[in-house]
Amino acid sequence: MSNQMYNKMWHQAQEALNSLLDKESEKMTEPQRNKIIVFQMLATFYIKYVQIFRNMENVYDQIVHPQKRMLIRKILDGVMGRILELKNEMVELEMTEFHYFDDILQDLKLAPQQLDVPIPRYFLKERLEVIKGREKILARILNELGADAEELWVKFTVKSLPLEEAIKLIQIAERARQGRLRALFMKQIFLQECRAKEIKLLGQKLADTSLAALQIQKVWRGFHQSKKTVKEREEEMIFLGMKPPPLFNEVSAAIIRSEHVTRLRNEVQLKHEQSYKEALVSIKEELKLMEGPDIKEHLQDQIRQWFIECRNLTGTFPEYPNEEEGGSAIIFSNKTPEQVIEDILTSQDEEEKLKKKKKKEEKEKKSKKGKKAKEKKGSPKEKMAKEEDEEWKMSPSLFLQLMEEGNSLYKDTWMNKDESWNFPQSYDPEMIKEEKRKELESEIRVQVDELMRHELKNLKLAVNKEMEHPFQGKKGKKQGKGKKGRKRGRRGKKDKDLTADRTIESLYQELVEEGLLIQALKVHLSDYVGEYSYLGTTLRQVAVEPMPSLLDVRQLITLYGILPLGSAEVHEKAPLVKSLLLAGPPGVGKKMLVHAICTETGANLFNLSASNIAGKYPGKSGLQMMLHLVFKVARQLQPSVVWIQDTEKTFYRKVPQAERPNEPKRLKKQLPKLLKLLKPDDRILIVGTTHRPFDAELQSFCRVYQKIILVPRPDYASRYVLWKQIILRNGGVLTNALNISCLSKVTDGFTQGQIVKVIKEVLTDRRIRQQSYKPLTAVEFITMMTSMNPVYKEEEESFKNWYAKTPLGRKRLLSLTVGGNKEKEKEKGKKKGKKEKRKK
């Protein structure tokens, strides 16, 4: 695609965003009480923002103009943050993490695949060098540790054998080899004898050659015709679209060419970015030489005029603003001296009015507090009923303003801009000059402020003969410094650096050597294969809570894990998710999802599992040092993921006798404290995985983990896709002999891990070579699965029941019961009304 095509895509995305921002501002002003209408409105906005996000991400990845990319990036972060805000609103409204949009997608004429939130490619592209450098350091440390471990293993485990025992072992092996050869030779002799006997018996019958030829012709014609009919049948199926064409899975020449073009575009992007950075420096230097003296004179004249006007109006010279306040920039922010004087006069009147208003507001607040305290009392069901009766209000957004600013910038600068002169789409020098003039003006203003302060001082001494009182200002400053010093001292006590004398590199190496910082597996989130839930909305309408599909889980991992970790601006402003729990039976892909988060964001992976930290950094001081090391390195080299595998062990109700020496509950008291210390600036995510959440104390468990995601066993649709894709990835060939639908039905209850394991065991190198004359069948896979235990419905129900006890699960049940009771009351009221009419 050319630059024009991507520019057109950008303009279309901006138009869609502009209309969506207008609709959102209209809808937010309208009061709503009906939860269903509110949810449909939120879901529609969410889906439309996802479509804009998909287009914007594609444009940002491919467009080469550096200044356009800066604006697109700003809007892209805004859209990303707004998606997270809308998701949070839907969770608070429906009291569930999983939402289904079947009916809305149908109205908007969209496929479920278009609902998938993409992972921006700039997460890795813009940090590629840093990630590669870190991987090299980690690989080097692990190689050094590996070499030492091998030497120790050879030293302690490999034992030397006596000569006699070694000779005996060799003799046994040699005799066995000779025995196998002898048996094979005897088998060949036996087969030769059998053939000779058959020839003697059938010697007379094969004399007539015409009969033999007729038999061969009959067989050949039948074989040829069957081949022909099979071929015609396949062609018909391909024509009807019920079977993919023969070269469907092969990469076409067009795709290879497009990949080559994208690589070239990325190279051009880097060149243009480099030339833009160089231009920023060179153009600023030119402006400094050419326009710097004129800007200085203009600023001095403007400030002098302000001095004279203030003297004429008020009778005294004005007080000059300090550097901390912003200097003269506060007074002359796009204003003339006449407008500044008008502001001075009006501000005096406004101050008096504000004082009166504050007194009234304080009285009103006191009276309201008493009413609120009375309203708070009541049962939880009554509260839920009151909340439903109240008008719904959306929480204020931190990203709408960002998007509106970006949209207005687009309208002012790029919407109708003539770029016929800029065919290669390099930087625009005039835009750089405008930006750098402002920067240069602010730099010169600092110098001018110093000069004008001295000039004002001299004017006051000469004209008014007013002496300044410097001691008062100095005292105030000293007091301020003293207070700051005290505050710093307090902070120093709280956040005491235990390793102030050590470098980050040495701490990093220590954590790797101790096994607390591990290498993440190269797994992409797209490798977590599954299918969408197509009946979610219909099941909820019939009051049946559906189990989430695998792609619903994948969507939540993108929203709660990958997007905030990948973008610093989104992490700071979006609803903050500090911790995440993945709960589900073994083999459903919890570990894979943790590694996928690290791969997609380039995050470091710290392992604080109970089994991994056992015996490391003993005692309270040791534990404090370990956590300090982990979180110091995690902050310095963010984004970071802190993984706690089998996290139920950290929150055991009762520690089993066998695990008591390992002290699995070491982190139980420390984790809530660590979560409180995490700020929006810290791109650190604590991820826990568990297959036995019922063994943990629920209160402390839910206090630590902010978001709890149930990872289910795969349903029929997900199993069908899984069997198909994993067989193809492992070198298998899909033929009519292999019934995937049958495999998916039979393997109900089996997890993804078990399916992958079976496929790898069946598809050995030898079996892959045999496929040309011996195609794969379902029986081969089913026989391998007979020794495995599936996840039964009872186990799945136990996970559901446990989730219903979590805070969000309880709220969901409560909202459903309140809603159900209301509907029943309405129905009773209708029935009574009908009876009364009949009586009349």
Side-chain angles (χ1 to χ4, degrees):
M1 285 173 81
S2 63
N3 290 324
Q4 286 180 350
M5 286 298 291
Y6 283 111
N7 281 327
K8 192 179 178 182
M9 275 179 71
W10 181 35
H11 294 318
Q12 286 171 353
Q14 283 292 153
E15 281 173 19
L17 180 65
N18 187 37
S19 64
L20 190 58
L21 287 169
D22 292 341
K23 279 180 187 175
E24 198 168 351
S25 60
E26 283 172 20
K27 292 278 183 183
M28 291 307 127
T29 53
E30 292 175 12
Q32 290 290 345
R33 288 188 181 182
N34 192 335
K35 271 190 174 184
I36 297 162
I37 294 166
V38 170
F39 176 75
Q40 284 191 336
M41 180 186 71
L42 290 171
T44 308
F45 287 150
Y46 174 82
I47 292 163
K48 286 183 177 178
Y49 272 117
V50 168
Q51 301 314 304
I52 293 163
F53 181 54
R54 288 168 72 89
N55 293 330
M56 282 282 186
E57 197 279 323
N58 196 18
V59 168
Y60 181 73
D61 186 61
Q62 291 299 308
I63 215 160
V64 294
H65 198 296
Q67 286 151 310
K68 283 180 185 176
R69 279 171 60 80
M70 286 167 70
L71 178 59
I72 294 164
R73 173 67 181 274
K74 185 182 180 181
I75 296 164
L76 188 66
D77 285 343
V79 173
M80 205 191 305
R82 188 64 187 141
I83 287 167
L84 295 177
E85 283 180 339
L86 288 168
K87 177 68 182 176
N88 190 53
E89 288 289 336
M90 287 191 287
V91 170
E92 287 179 1
L93 186 73
E94 283 213 314
M95 304 299 173
T96 178
E97 298 290 353
F98 299 99
H99 309 288
Y100 304 101
F101 313 113
D102 320 338
D103 49 346
I104 300 163
L105 285 172
Q106 202 171 351
D107 294 340
L108 295 169
K109 294 178 183 178
L110 294 170
Q113 289 78 10
Q114 288 172 288
L115 198 62
D116 197 20
V117 178
I119 297 161
R121 282 161 277 189
Y122 78 82
F123 285 179
L124 293 176
K125 272 172 75 176
E126 292 182 5
R127 296 182 61 249
L128 200 62
E129 289 179 12
V130 176
I131 293 162
K132 280 183 177 177
R134 204 181 296 159
E135 280 177 356
K136 282 179 183 176
I137 294 162
L138 185 59
R140 179 178 56 77
I141 296 164
L142 289 170
N143 284 335
E144 287 171 8
L145 289 170
D148 296 340
E150 279 177 21
E151 286 172 15
L152 289 166
W153 185 79
V154 169
K155 190 176 178 181
F156 293 110
T157 59
V158 179
K159 295 176 183 178
S160 57
L161 282 171
L163 185 64
E164 289 177 2
E165 285 184 23
I167 291 164
K168 276 182 184 179
L169 282 171
I170 292 162
Q171 282 175 347
I172 290 162
E174 180 59 27
R175 282 168 187 159
R177 188 185 68 81
Q178 287 177 6
R180 284 195 295 272
L181 286 171
R182 198 179 295 111
L184 188 67
F185 180 64
M186 292 303 291
K187 189 181 178 181
Q188 286 172 355
I189 292 165
F190 174 73
L191 289 170
Q192 281 176 0
E193 286 174 359
C194 287
R195 283 195 208 100
K197 283 177 185 178
E198 283 177 5
I199 288 162
K200 280 179 185 180
L201 289 166
L202 300 167
Q204 297 295 325
K205 289 181 182 179
L206 297 170
D208 194 355
T209 53
S210 60
L211 285 168
L214 191 68
Q215 191 70 25
I216 291 162
Q217 283 175 0
K218 195 191 286 184
V219 172
W220 166 249
R221 281 172 185 164
F223 170 75
H224 182 67
Q225 188 60 40
S226 66
K227 278 275 194 184
K228 195 178 178 182
T229 51
V230 166
K231 193 179 179 182
E232 285 174 0
R233 197 175 182 182
E234 281 184 1
E235 284 173 0
E236 189 183 0
M237 295 294 273
I238 290 162
F239 176 73
L240 293 168
M242 294 178 74
K243 203 175 179 182
L247 301 173
F248 182 73
N249 293 319
E250 289 187 12
V251 181
S252 66
I255 291 168
I256 294 162
R257 197 160 52 250
S258 71
E259 285 175 358
H260 177 65
V261 170
T262 52
R263 281 197 296 273
L264 290 172
R265 291 185 81 84
N266 290 336
E267 287 172 15
V268 172
Q269 268 181 12
L270 291 169
K271 283 178 186 175
H272 285 189
E273 284 286 340
Q274 191 62 37
S275 60
Y276 174 68
K277 285 173 184 175
E278 289 168 5
L280 287 173
V281 178
S282 60
I283 288 169
K284 190 178 178 182
E285 289 298 320
E286 283 176 22
L287 285 170
K288 202 171 186 179
L289 288 167
M290 300 295 289
E291 298 180 15
D294 295 336
I295 292 166
K296 193 174 181 180
E297 281 181 24
H298 173 70
L299 289 172
Q300 284 177 331
D301 293 342
Q302 199 179 31
I303 293 162
R304 283 192 190 108
Q305 192 182 348
W306 175 56
F307 291 165
I308 295 157
E309 292 289 341
C310 280
R311 168 77 178 168
N312 293 338
L313 280 168
T314 58
T316 56
F317 285 110
E319 290 295 324
Y320 209 96
N322 296 324
E323 279 184 36
E324 292 170 2
E325 292 171 356
S328 60
I330 295 171
I331 300 158
F332 296 99
S333 55
N334 300 322
K335 290 179 184 178
T336 59
E338 290 82 12
Q339 287 173 331
V340 171
I341 291 151
E342 283 176 16
D343 291 343
I344 292 162
L345 295 167
T346 52
S347 63
Q348 290 173 356
D349 299 328
E350 283 175 2
E351 279 177 10
E352 290 176 7
K353 288 177 182 177
L354 283 167
K355 284 177 183 177
K356 290 176 182 177
K357 278 184 181 179
K358 280 179 183 178
K359 286 177 182 178
K360 285 181 181 178
E361 282 174 4
E362 282 174 7
K363 288 177 181 178
E364 284 175 6
K365 279 180 183 178
K366 284 176 183 178
S367 61
K368 281 179 182 178
K369 278 180 183 178
K371 289 177 183 178
K372 282 181 181 178
K374 289 174 184 177
E375 284 173 6
K376 280 181 182 178
K377 291 176 183 179
S379 65
K381 285 189 178 180
E382 283 174 7
K383 283 180 185 178
M384 289 294 292
K386 280 178 185 178
E387 282 173 15
E388 283 193 350
D389 292 336
E390 285 175 7
E391 287 181 3
W392 176 84
K393 287 179 183 178
M394 186 181 275
S395 51
S397 172
L398 297 170
F399 292 97
L400 278 172
Q401 191 182 350
L402 188 74
M403 286 189 288
E404 281 165 3
E405 283 172 12
N407 195 36
S408 60
L409 265 171
Y410 161 76
K411 284 177 182 176
D412 298 341
T413 313
W414 298 106
M415 192 173 175
N416 301 313
K417 193 175 176 67
D418 180 26
E419 289 187 278
S420 55
W421 60 273
N422 192 5
F423 181 74
Q425 290 288 288
S426 58
Y427 66 87
D428 188 344
E430 290 302 318
M431 286 179 72
I432 295 172
K433 281 179 183 177
E434 283 178 23
E435 287 173 19
K436 292 297 164 187
R437 274 195 193 98
K438 289 173 185 175
E439 276 185 33
L440 191 65
E441 190 178 325
S442 62
E443 286 174 14
I444 292 167
R445 193 180 284 278
V446 174
Q447 297 169 8
V448 169
D449 283 350
E450 286 180 15
L451 292 169
M452 298 313 288
R453 276 192 195 95
H454 289 295
E455 195 171 313
L456 181 64
K457 193 178 179 181
N458 294 332
L459 279 167
K460 282 181 178 179
L461 288 166
V463 179
N464 296 332
K465 295 179 182 179
E466 289 175 3
M467 293 296 290
E468 286 184 326
H469 302 284
F471 298 104
Q472 289 177 5
K474 284 178 184 177
K475 278 179 186 176
K477 283 180 185 176
K478 278 180 184 177
Q479 284 171 2
K481 283 179 184 176
K483 284 176 185 176
K484 282 179 186 175
R486 282 175 195 171
K487 281 180 185 176
R488 281 175 191 167
R490 284 170 191 168
R491 281 178 189 170
K493 283 178 184 178
K494 282 182 182 177
D495 305 329
K496 193 179 179 183
D497 194 351
L498 301 171
T499 53
D501 56 336
R502 290 180 64 183
T503 60
I504 288 292
E505 287 77 14
S506 67
L507 300 177
Y508 186 88
Q509 187 162 354
E510 186 182 328
L511 289 171
V512 175
E513 287 169 358
E514 291 292 335
L516 297 175
L517 200 156
I518 60 171
Q519 195 165 21
L521 301 171
K522 291 288 173 188
V523 181
H524 292 280
L525 196 66
S526 56
D527 297 333
Y528 191 75
V529 180
E531 191 51 275
Y532 295 91
S533 179
Y534 294 99
L535 297 169
T537 308
T538 49
L539 286 169
R540 276 190 177 169
Q541 283 170 356
V542 191
V544 175
E545 189 61 30
M547 275 301 277
S549 70
L550 299 186
L551 288 192
D552 293 331
V553 172
R554 194 170 87 177
Q555 193 90 310
L556 286 184
I557 294 296
T558 306
L559 292 169
Y560 293 152
I562 294 168
L563 295 186
L565 282 180
S567 174
E569 191 163 357
V570 171
H571 194 274
E572 280 176 31
K573 294 179 181 177
L576 189 60
V577 178
K578 296 179 182 180
S579 55
L580 191 67
L581 177 69
L582 304 175
V588 291
K590 300 183 292 294
K591 185 180 172 183
M592 181 187 175
L593 289 169
V594 174
H595 286 280
I597 292 169
C598 297
T599 305
E600 297 291 0
T601 56
N604 299 294
L605 183 59
F606 298 88
N607 188 354
L608 291 184
S609 307
S611 57
N612 192 44
I613 63 170
K616 294 172 186 176
Y617 297 94
K620 282 187 179 179
S621 58
L623 181 65
Q624 194 180 353
M625 175 58 80
M626 180 184 74
L627 293 171
H628 168 75
L629 289 173
V630 167
F631 281 88
K632 186 178 179 180
V633 174
R635 278 192 183 93
Q636 289 289 325
L637 306 175
Q638 56 184 300
S640 299
V641 173
V642 179
W643 177 34
I644 306 171
Q645 193 178 14
D646 297 329
T647 188
E648 77 280 354
K649 292 180 180 178
T650 310
F651 302 92
Y652 265 142
R653 290 175 188 169
K654 190 179 179 183
V655 181
Q657 194 70 35
E659 291 187 33
R660 279 181 186 175
N662 296 336
E663 295 180 76
K665 293 173 80 172
R666 282 178 80 191
L667 291 176
K668 187 183 175 181
K669 290 179 181 177
Q670 298 296 326
L671 282 172
K673 293 174 187 176
L674 290 166
L675 283 167
K676 283 178 185 176
L677 293 171
L678 290 178
K679 296 171 187 175
D681 300 342
D682 303 325
R683 282 188 289 156
I684 299 167
L685 182 68
I686 296 170
V687 183
T689 56
T690 175
H691 64 275
R692 289 196 62 81
F694 351 98
D695 295 346
E697 284 179 18
L698 192 64
Q699 270 192 334
S700 52
F701 210 39
C702 295
R703 206 180 298 129
V704 168
Y705 292 107
Q706 194 178 341
K707 295 283 180 185
I708 298 170
I709 300 171
L710 269 185
V711 186
R713 57 182 188 168
D715 54 3
Y716 170 77
S718 295
R719 287 196 303 278
Y720 186 87
V721 174
L722 195 68
W723 276 109
K724 207 171 182 178
Q725 291 202 19
I726 304 298
I727 286 169
L728 289 169
R729 280 183 198 176
N730 285 274
V733 179
L734 301 175
T735 60
N736 293 331
L738 181 62
N739 192 340
I740 302 259
S741 181
C742 169
L743 266 176
S744 306
K745 281 280 184 188
V746 171
T747 53
D748 185 18
F750 289 93
T751 61
Q752 301 97 300
Q754 289 171 326
I755 290 167
V756 170
K757 189 182 176 184
V758 165
I759 291 167
K760 284 181 178 177
E761 283 177 2
V762 170
L763 290 174
T764 57
D765 293 337
R766 187 186 173 196
R767 186 68 189 86
I768 289 163
R769 287 195 298 271
Q770 290 174 348
Q771 285 182 104
S772 56
Y773 58 89
K774 189 184 174 183
L776 292 168
T777 57
V779 179
E780 293 177 71
F781 297 102
I782 290 163
T783 49
M784 295 293 287
M785 296 201 89
T786 51
S787 59
M788 295 179 178
N789 292 321
V791 177
Y792 295 104
K793 278 191 176 179
E794 290 80 9
E795 192 176 343
E796 193 174 65
E797 285 299 318
S798 63
F799 275 99
K800 271 182 150 181
N801 295 334
W802 172 81
Y803 186 75
K805 293 173 187 173
T806 62
L808 195 66
R810 283 203 304 269
K811 284 178 185 176
R812 174 75 180 162
L813 282 172
L814 196 63
S815 65
L816 290 170
T817 51
V818 169
N821 292 338
K822 278 196 166 186
E823 283 175 10
K824 284 177 184 177
E825 283 172 12
K826 283 178 184 176
E827 283 176 8
K828 283 179 183 177
K830 284 178 183 177
K831 285 177 183 177
K832 281 180 182 177
K834 284 177 183 178
K835 283 179 182 178
E836 284 172 6
K837 282 179 182 178
R838 283 172 188 171
K839 284 176 183 178
K840 285 176 183 177

